[in-house]
Amino acid sequence: MSRTPLIDLDVERPAEARPTIDVSGLPEAANDWRAPIWWGNNLLLVIETAMFGILVAAYLYYWSVDFSQWPPPHVSTHPANLDPNPKLLGSTIETVLMLLSLVPAIMCDRACVRFDARRVKVTVVIVLLIELVAGALRIHGFKELHHSYDDNAYGSITWGILFLHLLHIIVSLAETALVAVWVFRHGLDARHARDTRVSLVYWYWIVGIWVPLYLLVFWGPRVL
Amino acid sequence: MNPTTATTSSAAGVGATAGDAATATVDVRAALTPDRADELLDRTWRHRPGLIGWLSTTNHKDIALRFIVTALAFFAIAGLLAAAMRTQLARPGQRVLGPDLYNQFFTTHGTAMMFLFAVPIMKAIGLYFVPLMIGTRNVAFPRMNAFAYYLFLFTGLLLFGALALNVGADRGWFAYPPLSGPQFGPGKRPDVWTWVISLTEISALVGAVEIITTVFKQRAVGMSLARMPVFVWAQLITAFMVIFAMPSVMLASSMLSTDRMPTVNTHFFNPAEGGDVLLYQHLFWFFGHPEVYIIFIPATGFISDMIPVFARRKLFGYTAVVLSLIATAFIGFGLWVHHMFSTPVPELGQGMFTASSMLIAIPSGVQVFCWIATIWLGRPWIRTPMLYVLAFIVLFVCGGLTGVMTASVSVDLQVHDTFFVVAHLHYVLIGGAVFPLLGALHFWFPKWTGRMPSERIGVVAFVLVFVGFNLTFFPMHQLGLQGMTRRVYTYLPGTGWGPLNMLATIGAYVMALGLIVFACNFLVSCRRGRPAGDNPWHAPTLDWATTSPPRSYNFRFPPAVRSLYPLWSDDPAKTPVVIGLQLDRREVLTTTVMDARPAYRYELAGDSLLPLFLGVTVFLTFFGLIFHPWALPIFGGASGVILMVWFWRQNTVEKVHDHPGEPPGPVHRQRPRQ
Amino acid sequence: MRLWGFIVIGCAAVLGGGCAGNQSALDPAGPQSTGIRDLFWLFLGVSIVVQVLVTAALLPPLRRRSASAEPPPLVPEEASRERRTTLVVGGLVLLTTVILAVLMVGDFLTGRAAHATYADPDPLKIKVVGHQWWWEVNYPNEREPYKGVLTANEIHIPVGRTVEFSLDSVDVIHSFWIPNLHGKKDMIPGHPTTLRLKADRPGLYYGQCAEFCGHQHAKMRLTVVVESQAEFDKWMEAQNRPAPTPIYASQKRGLEVFLTSSCVMCHQIDGTPARSRFGPVLTHLASRPTIAGGSLANTRGNLAGWILDPHAVKPGVRMPQNNIPPADLHALLDYLEMLK
């Protein structure tokens, strides 16, 4: 009975020249989108983007119930505030600061590619400090919303959006701090250049996703 | 016999594709014998002995088997709950289970089956076989994989433990507010439910990231996307669906939780303060519908993998099947309102969702036609797995047809929330997912254990399960049309629903018996089955190119492929293998995304207990949130600390094992002299 | 072949035997449910044909099957057969699309026909409010509000007249469903909605709550009586009258017991000081065929058992147990039995 022979790759084929592909010459680390950690990080960011997408959809859903009363009037103060749009000062400063932080972040990114350890150290500290200030401004920024999370659905959803974003800032802070400590202690090599770049991508995402959220929550009720 | 670090001819260096003739044979210098290579690889890749080693393993096969065994245990428990429910409903007015216990039983049954059995086991079989089918040694993030398992285990213990303590979830597996809200769902039961959901979603999301990265980055040289088995495509597409669907239910359940927490007291679903109960339903079903495809698509992957083996020819219409899977995934996100036809959603919208719900029958139909065509064009070989495949085709078509019925708004308004829907969902979930699963367990049993399962016992189990299943669920179509609503702990004698319910209960017992026989088959065959060899079914994919069971490192040489069915069409003597990976480090080859050309060598993380610790702290975070919001900063902070240690350790280059007397640096595998 | 015969007969028995019923979607008593039933037959017919064809398609290849223990040899591909099969599969996909389109059009037409009642300018308006676990039924009279009728768990409608139900809930999501008359509509707090239907055939039908609403979701039933216009007017008039004054001593004692026990905390009886609407209105309790949310026949014995311990019948209901001494209980029952 003729049968297709099985390819038994685990059994040695005696005396036959087996074609091989030698990969010993390949590099051991990749600094960019070819690295699995890059993919893992970006997939997690896709998940988080989907989360914010759903929160934005929920925000718009609540708004669509009654377009004329958004945000809902704030009647527990005297006189009542019938159109309590969120205050702009703190969050605008924070937004501008975050956008400005992209400059040292991109510089750090480029320095990682070139393995310029000194420049990486300087810029990563700047980014870290800006992240700290942004986080502090955000914590203050909750007060700029006139409604609390337990007042009504508007308060709940806006606090929800801002709180989730704040959690991301905190996690990014920890990640950037970890990377900075490593670079200061052990210097910059291929793996850590890659890890620094990955944590910077996280920060780019935090800034990037903040812009539409900021516009929606703080400017949306005024403009639309 | 010193292995020398011989210079390797770089004739087959970077950029060689499997197709071109640049691969060359390497000249032999000193020999590293096959046994020595195996020994080195095994030392590198297996986990340490003892309890610590067992707890800290990151081998995808070990973790996948744990997932499978745990998920089957949860299946058994949830099945017992169903048997109790059927016993209660066998006759009108019985008092086997009171309403409180019945509510906990059906909620736990549904939640466990959907979240703790169906999704995890499909993912776990993928976790075991995707690296084998794509020719690599492990998944891309091994420790994260281990973490997913521990989290899954603790979550299951939480759900069933709560039931055992009479605080089981009792608001249905979708827990609509206001019934599950703070006013009408007092106590902790719905909180157990919401945090169980969040925990299982994290486990599933982590698994999805794992599969996508592994499939895109670690395929065998020459395995372009068009040469990937349908099984791998199905797992990949499912992983993408998980990523986009799961955030919705995590948010829905978290929003419900914060509404319920007395110290937080949000108003997401409180109509009195601008909240909306319908929003919960939208958020839940936006996840809920893709969820059933997350369960079903991997099952179609099993079928597409088994049919070629048991029809003895290539799958007909590979491209059509893959495109159908992708279409199903996309369209599957546009169906969710069909679960809400009886709510006051606008009617134009309802019509659109009827259209999309019917549209999705087309890609499913394409797959069914391709499978049947494969069987027509081939020669059916009847073994137990094939019986399950054939039954699947019949039962899934039945479930799909009742699905088309419920897609129509008018019909659905009569059958929604009745036993008709219970019948439909069990036909598609059991007929469409569990039958392929049972066939797959039979099919891959020899690969896992090295022994063949008994054919005779297998056929007996199949007949019992098939007959029992149909006897249980077919009468339920009629019951629903006669007015029997779902989630009722009893019914009145005057309704006349007694006889069909009794029939369904008898069927349930028959099916349970069949499943017990199925399990016994495996328990017996583990010890006394015929030895299987590497490829007892003469199957074409790479998972059958290893030993049974596979060694810890999967392949001595990672293979390259030239076709979709490597073991059927490639000449073994001419198929290149990859050499040059280090044997003393856990090194894998990463390849390019589209064409799978070699890109670089990637060292995987080693074994660690950190996944266990992280599993404990993340579990405690959500478990604590059942009781107080402070659990989030406290245990969340602890999880953060563990993650920082995790990434710190990731950064150090770990030499997994020290081998004194051997030269440092890369050790090349050369073709041995004979 | 015999096996197939048994299966077909068995299915026919299961399906055919149970079409009729007063809680059955397959026994329509109005134009809406008739339309849905007819649409269902269309879907069922198509489904049976498709199921039989798909199952039958598996049979010819199985005749060539191999049951050998070892894997049989592979079957080589033939280009011409592959091409023919592609055409066949393509044709089947096209056929599937056409069938689905037909079914979709059927659904659209049925839905449109069911909405014919929305053109009716003067429906009978009934407001139904879902409670855990009973139905509050209110016939508002816009012109003469004092002639509105308030009852519970029972609906009467005149045959041939469009009825518009306004549906709402005071606690959790319920679902209003009378299978013989129309599909269901959810009663969602915060989303009051309406449902219009018409009944063509007089009779007694049952409705049931169709959305899981807690412990006694299983026993939240509704009696629907479809009757002629004359009988309906007679019923409305009777419901409009306040409760009769007790005549005999035991009935007077019964009213006294009612007003001094916990009953008065939740139940309204028109014509007495009891005005609480937390629980079902009892003004015409004796005229109802059922009690306890439609789950018990309205007999003296059942009523006694229900009053003493509702939780023995419906564990988890809001009604407390009542420790009423036997003589007082008989008096109470005497009083309640006169509330026609």
Side-chain angles (χ1 to χ4, degrees):
Chain A
M1 178 170 64
S2 78
R3 269 217 227 163
T4 316
L6 304 175
I7 297 181
D8 200 343
L9 293 172
D10 269 2
V11 169
E12 218 34 62
R13 318 255 346 148
E16 276 177 25
R18 185 91 180 260
T20 56
I21 301 173
D22 188 344
V23 298
S24 55
L26 291 178
E28 276 185 359
N31 206 2
D32 57 9
W33 56 268
R34 291 178 296 162
I37 188 79
W38 196 277
W39 283 78
N41 186 53
N42 285 2
L43 286 168
L44 289 172
L45 294 182
V46 169
I47 294 172
E48 298 304 321
T49 310
M51 289 248 199
F52 277 114
I54 307 251
L55 280 173
V56 165
Y59 178 89
L60 293 171
Y61 184 100
Y62 287 125
W63 191 345
S64 72
V65 170
D66 187 351
F67 280 110
S68 61
Q69 295 227 346
W70 189 263
H74 194 220
V75 296
S76 55
T77 56
H78 181 72
N81 185 349
L82 293 175
D83 197 14
N85 291 321
K87 296 198 263 244
L88 284 178
L89 185 63
S91 50
T92 310
I93 294 179
E94 184 195 344
T95 310
V96 168
L97 202 60
M98 285 169 83
L99 286 169
L100 286 177
S101 77
L102 290 177
V103 173
I106 294 177
M107 286 169 63
C108 186
D109 208 353
R110 297 231 181 97
C112 284
V113 176
R114 290 194 314 263
F115 291 97
D116 182 352
R118 207 185 63 87
R119 175 162 271 199
V120 165
K121 287 180 188 170
V122 168
T123 45
V124 89
V125 169
I126 297 177
V127 171
L128 192 62
L129 289 172
I130 296 182
E131 287 185 23
L132 258 170
V133 174
L137 279 173
R138 169 62 46 72
I139 293 177
H140 170 82
F142 283 109
K143 299 201 193 80
E144 294 188 329
L145 300 169
H146 293 276
H147 292 281
S148 166
Y149 56 84
D150 59 357
D151 279 344
N152 48 37
Y154 167 84
S156 302
I157 192 71
T158 40
W159 276 71
I161 292 175
L162 298 185
F163 181 71
L164 188 63
H165 197 260
L166 173 65
L167 279 182
H168 281 294
I169 294 181
I170 294 174
V171 173
S172 178
L173 205 55
E175 201 177 320
T176 314
L178 186 74
V179 154
V181 166
W182 183 279
V183 170
F184 272 93
R185 279 197 64 181
H186 296 276
L188 190 69
D189 66 331
R191 277 205 177 81
H192 301 102
R194 177 199 68 195
D195 289 346
T196 312
R197 294 192 76 194
V198 164
S199 59
L200 287 172
V201 167
Y202 188 25
W203 180 248
Y204 297 155
W205 176 82
I206 290 180
V207 175
I209 201 111
W210 172 246
V211 171
L213 294 176
Y214 162 75
L215 289 173
L216 183 69
V217 172
F218 290 91
W219 284 97
R222 291 186 155 86
V223 166
L224 293 169
Chain B
M1 288 259 254
N2 294 321
T4 54
T5 55
T7 56
T8 56
S9 76
S10 50
V14 179
T17 58
D20 64 45
T23 59
T25 60
V26 172
D27 212 355
V28 172
R29 299 296 175 90
L32 198 62
T33 63
D35 290 336
R36 179 87 181 116
D38 282 347
E39 197 189 327
L40 280 172
L41 279 168
D42 195 46
R43 225 194 301 180
T44 308
W45 286 93
R46 68 158 191 260
H47 63 81
R48 291 193 291 272
L51 179 66
I52 302 286
W54 192 80
L55 288 172
S56 61
T57 184
T58 55
N59 188 310
H60 74 101
K61 298 184 290 298
D62 293 341
I63 294 171
L65 282 176
R66 284 178 204 180
F67 258 113
I68 292 171
V69 169
T70 313
L72 288 174
F74 292 155
F75 176 67
I77 302 176
L80 286 173
L81 295 178
M85 284 154 58
R86 277 312 326 160
T87 311
Q88 162 66 11
L89 288 178
R91 286 188 309 191
Q94 285 205 120
R95 290 183 180 228
V96 172
L97 296 173
D100 192 55
L101 208 54
Y102 189 89
N103 294 348
Q104 288 184 72
F105 273 33
F106 80 71
T107 305
T108 308
H109 167 83
T111 310
M113 285 298 193
M114 294 297 281
F115 295 106
L116 293 173
F117 162 68
V119 171
I121 204 165
M122 297 301 178
K123 189 185 68 177
I125 295 186
L127 206 58
Y128 195 104
F129 288 108
V130 164
L132 283 167
M133 285 187 183
I134 64 177
T136 188
R137 297 198 197 281
N138 202 345
V139 289
F141 307 119
R143 291 179 301 179
M144 196 161 81
N145 206 13
F147 160 70
Y149 172 72
Y150 287 122
L151 202 61
F152 162 71
L153 174 67
F154 298 145
T155 309
L157 294 175
L158 170 62
L159 183 71
F160 289 113
L163 177 64
L165 294 173
N166 203 27
V167 262
D170 67 345
R171 294 317 198 199
W173 83 274
F174 23 98
Y176 285 165
L179 185 63
S180 58
Q183 191 177 359
F184 299 102
K188 295 299 178 194
R189 289 170 171 185
D191 296 294
V192 167
W193 182 86
T194 56
W195 297 121
V196 160
I197 299 304
S198 293
L199 285 165
T200 53
E201 303 318 345
I202 295 178
S203 187
L205 282 166
V206 156
V209 169
E210 197 76 73
I211 295 274
I212 294 177
T213 312
T214 309
V215 169
F216 277 144
K217 295 306 302 173
Q218 286 180 223
R219 295 199 308 280
V221 176
M223 187 183 279
S224 62
L225 289 176
R227 290 193 192 141
M228 235 164 52
V230 179
F231 179 101
V232 179
W233 271 110
Q235 291 285 337
L236 180 68
I237 290 167
T238 306
F240 273 109
M241 291 187 81
V242 166
I243 284 187
F244 287 106
M246 300 253 169
S248 187
V249 76
M250 275 198 80
L251 279 175
S253 63
S254 304
M255 285 155 85
L256 181 60
S257 309
T258 53
D259 266 19
R260 291 177 53 83
M261 285 184 199
T263 43
V264 178
N265 209 16
T266 51
H267 297 284
F268 291 111
F269 307 121
N270 181 0
E273 292 281 9
D276 192 354
V277 158
L278 262 186
L279 178 64
Y280 179 89
Q281 295 192 24
H282 281 292
L283 291 177
F284 185 84
W285 289 114
F286 183 75
F287 149 81
H289 195 81
E291 158 88 342
V292 308
Y293 289 105
I294 288 169
I295 295 170
F296 173 65
I297 288 181
T300 64
F302 302 161
I303 298 288
S304 293
D305 223 55
M306 290 193 285
I307 280 195
V309 175
F310 293 100
R312 309 310 295 153
R313 59 147 281 152
K314 296 183 187 176
L315 180 70
F316 178 85
Y318 169 87
T319 311
V321 168
V322 171
L323 289 176
S324 297
L325 288 175
I326 297 176
T328 306
F330 271 105
I331 303 176
F333 276 94
L335 304 188
W336 82 92
V337 176
H338 71 215
H339 298 270
M340 297 164 61
F341 278 153
S342 58
T343 61
V345 287
E347 274 160 23
L348 179 60
Q350 288 182 349
M352 285 169 52
F353 282 93
T354 294
S356 59
S357 304
M358 295 208 181
L359 191 67
I360 203 164
I362 296 175
S364 300
V366 167
Q367 289 184 70
V368 171
F369 298 143
C370 286
W371 292 326
I372 297 181
T374 312
I375 300 178
W376 263 89
L377 292 170
R379 184 172 177 214
W381 176 34
I382 303 300
R383 305 266 90 195
T384 307
M386 184 57 159
L387 291 176
Y388 284 105
V389 168
L390 294 170
F392 154 79
I393 293 178
V394 172
L395 297 175
F396 171 66
V397 167
C398 182
L401 289 167
T402 53
V404 168
M405 289 181 192
T406 52
S408 143
V409 175
S410 305
V411 175
D412 187 62
L413 288 180
Q414 285 281 33
V415 302
H416 170 64
D417 254 329
T418 66
F419 265 80
F420 188 94
V421 169
V422 174
H424 160 69
L425 75 92
H426 284 94
Y427 264 84
V428 283
L429 283 174
I430 299 187
V434 173
F435 269 71
L437 174 70
L438 295 176
L441 291 175
H442 236 273
F443 180 62
W444 274 301
F445 182 82
K447 180 53 61 181
W448 287 324
T449 60
R451 291 182 182 278
M452 295 299 283
S454 158
E455 260 306 297
R456 247 178 287 166
I457 307 181
V459 171
V460 168
F462 168 77
V463 170
L464 285 172
V465 170
F466 183 80
V467 169
F469 166 74
N470 281 296
L471 209 57
T472 311
F473 292 105
F474 198 78
M476 291 188 185
H477 293 108
Q478 178 68 10
L479 280 171
L481 288 165
Q482 281 187 297
M484 185 169 179
T485 53
R486 313 165 65 159
R487 300 167 160 190
V488 291
Y489 76 99
T490 188
Y491 49 94
L492 300 180
T495 53
W497 297 332
L500 287 177
N501 269 296
M502 177 58 85
L503 199 60
T505 303
I506 295 174
Y509 291 150
V510 172
M511 189 168 143
L513 181 64
L515 289 169
I516 292 174
V517 172
F518 184 94
C520 285
N521 187 2
F522 282 9
L523 292 171
V524 164
S525 302
C526 252
R527 308 264 158 94
R528 300 201 283 168
R530 189 167 50 91
D534 290 354
N535 193 354
W537 309 111
H538 192 195
T541 44
L542 285 179
D543 48 325
W544 297 99
T546 62
T547 56
S548 300
R551 303 201 190 97
S552 56
Y553 47 89
N554 292 352
F555 304 94
R556 190 192 296 140
F557 308 118
V561 299
R562 299 173 192 261
S563 78
L564 194 51
Y565 301 95
L567 298 191
W568 281 355
S569 48
D570 293 353
D571 182 353
K574 300 219 178 76
T575 308
V577 292
V578 169
I579 61 167
L581 291 175
Q582 301 198 19
L583 303 181
D584 60 346
R585 285 199 207 163
R586 290 188 177 182
E587 206 168 68
V588 295
L589 177 69
T590 62
T591 54
T592 59
V593 175
M594 298 296 289
D595 298 327
R597 286 174 288 119
Y600 73 101
R601 295 175 290 133
Y602 170 52
E603 181 178 352
L604 295 175
D607 292 351
S608 165
L609 281 175
L610 287 174
L612 174 60
F613 297 151
L614 187 66
V616 169
T617 53
V618 170
F619 173 74
L620 286 176
T621 308
F622 290 97
F623 178 72
L625 280 169
I626 294 176
F627 303 100
H628 204 282
W630 270 107
L632 181 63
I634 293 176
F635 291 110
S639 310
V641 166
I642 295 185
L643 276 170
M644 293 182 46
V645 174
W646 181 305
F647 284 112
W648 192 269
R649 296 271 301 273
Q650 166 100 353
N651 283 319
T652 60
V653 172
E654 286 173 316
K655 227 173 158 30
V656 177
H657 299 284
D658 268 324
H659 306 302
E662 302 217 1
V667 176
H668 296 275
R669 177 69 186 100
Q670 299 162 316
R671 187 178 62 79
R673 176 201 300 281
Q674 196 63 29
Chain C
M1 276 323 340
R2 260 210 220 140
L3 179 63
W4 285 112
F6 279 133
I7 293 175
V8 167
I9 292 175
C11 289
V14 160
L15 295 171
C19 267
N22 50 16
Q23 199 175 335
S24 173
L26 295 175
D27 190 12
Q32 285 77 31
S33 47
T34 308
I36 296 175
R37 195 255 338 242
D38 294 340
L39 183 68
F40 178 73
W41 284 151
L42 172 65
F43 273 78
L44 184 65
V46 168
S47 302
I48 291 179
V49 169
V50 170
Q51 180 78 57
V52 166
L53 286 176
V54 169
T55 313
L58 291 172
L59 297 175
L62 284 178
R63 286 215 206 101
R64 295 180 272 122
R65 70 182 181 275
S66 153
S68 77
E70 293 306 309
L74 296 175
V75 172
E77 273 178 49
E78 261 176 72
S80 62
R81 285 193 82 193
E82 300 284 310
R83 270 198 306 271
R84 260 205 319 262
T85 313
T86 311
L87 285 172
V88 170
V89 169
L92 288 172
V93 173
L94 214 58
L95 185 64
T96 309
T97 314
V98 167
I99 293 176
L100 291 172
V102 165
L103 294 176
M104 227 189 314
V105 167
D107 170 60
F108 172 72
L109 292 174
T110 307
R112 200 174 62 171
H115 273 72
T117 49
Y118 281 82
D120 193 329
D122 184 30
L124 171 66
K125 292 206 174 137
I126 307 179
K127 188 161 150 67
V128 182
V129 178
H131 293 249
Q132 275 179 318
W133 292 278
W134 58 280
W135 306 90
E136 177 189 325
V137 178
N138 187 0
Y139 290 74
N141 190 324
E142 276 142 26
R143 280 167 299 219
E144 294 162 298
Y146 56 89
K147 280 201 179 157
V149 166
L150 186 64
T151 180
N153 300 323
E154 187 183 3
I155 298 181
H156 284 239
I157 52 182
V159 72
R161 178 140 177 233
T162 304
V163 180
E164 180 177 283
F165 290 100
S166 305
L167 304 171
D168 199 353
S169 165
V170 297
D171 39 35
V172 299
I173 303 179
H174 299 276
S175 189
F176 181 74
W177 187 37
I178 309 170
N180 295 86
L181 295 182
H182 199 3
K184 57 184 66 73
K185 197 91 189 203
D186 285 359
M187 304 152 103
I188 301 180
H191 283 274
T193 183
T194 56
L195 177 70
R196 281 202 186 195
L197 55 82
K198 204 196 302 199
D200 280 346
R201 201 177 73 199
L204 174 70
Y205 307 107
Y206 290 107
Q208 183 144 359
C209 174
E211 182 62 58
F212 179 60
C213 51
H215 280 112
Q216 289 302 329
H217 164 65
K219 292 190 177 177
M220 185 170 159
R221 303 186 83 215
L222 188 57
T223 320
V224 180
V225 176
V226 178
E227 52 197 1
S228 66
Q229 185 69 47
E231 285 171 338
F232 174 74
D233 292 335
K234 211 166 70 170
W235 178 81
M236 283 286 278
E237 225 189 282
Q239 294 288 318
N240 240 321
R241 288 194 284 263
T245 340
I247 308 169
Y248 302 112
S250 68
Q251 293 168 342
K252 289 187 186 155
R253 174 72 192 136
L255 177 56
E256 210 183 303
V257 170
F258 184 90
L259 292 175
T260 52
S261 325
S262 52
C263 316
V264 71
M265 306 287 285
C266 305
H267 293 289
Q268 169 174 326
I269 299 183
D270 282 334
T272 71
R275 308 304 293 168
S276 167
R277 286 171 55 170
F278 189 72
V281 162
L282 298 182
T283 313
H284 298 282
L285 177 64
S287 70
R288 296 185 203 151
T290 58
I291 57 170
S295 60
L296 272 184
N298 190 357
T299 65
R300 190 181 173 97
N302 280 347
L303 196 51
W306 174 251
I307 292 172
L308 286 177
D309 188 6
H311 295 265
V313 180
K314 285 174 80 165
V317 283
R318 303 278 145 110
M319 182 163 151
Q321 293 170 315
N322 295 290
N323 267 330
I324 303 181
D328 284 346
L329 179 63
H330 279 287
L332 180 61
L333 289 169
D334 287 340
Y335 175 66
L336 292 175
E337 278 180 348
M338 70 174 286
L339 295 176
K340 291 223 194 311

